[in-house]
Amino acid sequence: MMRLWRFAATAVLLAAVAPVGDALAQTVKLGIIDSYSGPMAGVGEQLDRGIRLYMQEHEKDLPKGVKLEIIRRDDTGPNPAVAKRLATELITRDHVQLLGGAIFTPNALAIAPLATEAKVPFIIMNAGTSMITTKSPYIARVSFTLWQSSYPLAEWAAKHGIKTVYSVVSDYGPGIDAEQAFTKGFTDNGGQMLGTVRVPLENPDFVPFLQRAKDAKPNAVFSFVPAGKQATALMKAFGDLGLGAAGIRLIGTGDITTDEELQNMGDVALGVTTMFHYSAAGQRPANVAFVTAYKAMFGQNQEPSFEVVGAYDGMAAIFHVIDAQQGNIDPDKTMELLKGWRDDASPRGPIYIDPQTRDIVQNEYLRRVEKVNGQLENVELETIPMVKDPWKVLNHQN
Ligand code: PHB
């Protein structure tokens, strides 16, 4: 009996120190910086759901003996100092080989120099200001840029009877990009901007800004605000002030009709026309399967927004680099693998990472909010295929 016990104890000890199986156990560490608390926590939850859904479907596809450890950190919202501290800790203490996430542009910009210094590839899953990718050769973006949606929307508007526009955007990186992209696309095609205002990012009150827009009597208001509750607040203020009743249309980037908030916005959202790279209502088979899997995991009344898809595709890119290197992550090899990475069947359509700029190339869809079976949906009407970030094209960055 004694002997048996000693044997058992030795076996347990051995199991704890020695890797079992033919391949040496290998753990890849991925640090995720996301906004899990604060007023933007709903958006952060969307991004995290994309990670969870991808892991549920594909964890089994990791190379044999390779594990992915995801270390999640909460930047609490647009807070670059916190993002910088968290990225520093993830790199120096946790020794992550990859970074991902970043809802907000200022946070992505705070992390960029750390990615360069430590040579840690940083896969941006949301933040959309065009110039972010120029700030580190270790950044690849799988999300979108505001130029990608605002510029083609402006061209469409100018050609479809909208002659005058008033712009209302959030006063920071992506808002300024959206305003500048729309203004260029619209005025180059004969449209006239009647005014542009920028609303504070923190605790915005949209009423005085939309009142000014209403007084200018434009054909349409163009808007970008960060998705989530701000989008719903913008929509409500637009309705309450009677802009729609005064014959003013609302157009913008898809952030303002973000899918997970659409039912909360109510009928005021009907007819709002946006340009964007993802709609939960998209009829592509890959998207139908994606939405079905999402609802099975998170609830039948839940709709995946673009942040879910950004994170989901970001994980697909991460799995690609892990697979190609069998879990031995080399930073420069990783960046080479990300350049030109493509997925012809993302839920949003075909996507690829432009090798010159490390930025995403994807379809943009013209959408209008309509009621389908009693539910508000961003119905896709037209496709503008494989749009490269126009800011980079116009500034000869590629
Ligand atoms: C950004 O900060 O880049 C950002 C945040 C929320 C959005 C879009 C862009 O909906």
Side-chain angles (χ1 to χ4, degrees), residues 78-269:
N79 207 333
V82 176
K84 186 175 176 183
R85 175 172 56 73
L86 295 175
T88 305
E89 289 172 4
L90 283 166
I91 292 167
T92 59
R93 267 198 235 157
D94 298 304
H95 304 292
V96 298
Q97 292 123 307
L98 301 166
L99 284 168
I103 295 286
F104 287 100
T105 288
N107 300 12
L109 291 174
I111 298 165
L114 303 171
T116 307
E117 204 177 278
K119 293 188 195 272
V120 177
F122 176 24
I123 290 88
I124 294 186
M125 296 174 171
N126 188 69
T129 303
S130 281
M131 57 67 167
I132 293 174
T133 45
T134 68
K135 296 298 175 190
S136 170
Y138 289 94
I139 285 178
R141 174 158 46 197
V142 291
S143 50
F144 57 89
T145 77
L146 279 304
W147 271 84
Q148 238 171 2
S149 49
S150 307
Y151 188 75
L153 174 67
E155 293 178 315
W156 174 86
K159 290 172 186 158
H160 288 81
I162 296 176
K163 294 188 164 37
T164 54
V165 164
Y166 198 97
S167 167
V168 178
V169 299
S170 280
D171 190 7
Y172 80 121
I176 295 163
D177 267 12
E179 176 196 294
Q180 291 179 345
F182 188 89
T183 300
K184 173 145 184 61
F186 195 54
T187 54
D188 282 358
N189 286 282
Q192 189 194 353
M193 299 300 292
L194 297 186
T196 57
V197 283
R198 297 175 182 174
V199 187
L201 173 60
E202 309 272 354
N203 306 313
D205 174 7
F206 295 113
V207 170
F209 298 94
L210 287 173
Q211 185 61 50
R212 262 192 261 167
K214 185 183 181 191
D215 294 344
K217 298 190 176 17
N219 296 147
V221 165
F222 164 77
S223 189
F224 159 83
V225 298
K229 296 291 171 201
Q230 284 214 17
T232 309
L234 173 86
M235 201 64 74
K236 291 239 183 298
F238 190 89
D240 291 349
L241 287 171
L243 277 83
I248 300 169
R249 295 179 64 176
L250 181 58
I251 60 175
T253 65
D255 308 77
I256 68 169
T257 57
T258 183
D259 289 306
E260 89 286 13
E261 281 290 318
L262 214 44
Q263 310 314 321
N264 294 335
M265 292 178 185
D267 285 355
V268 60

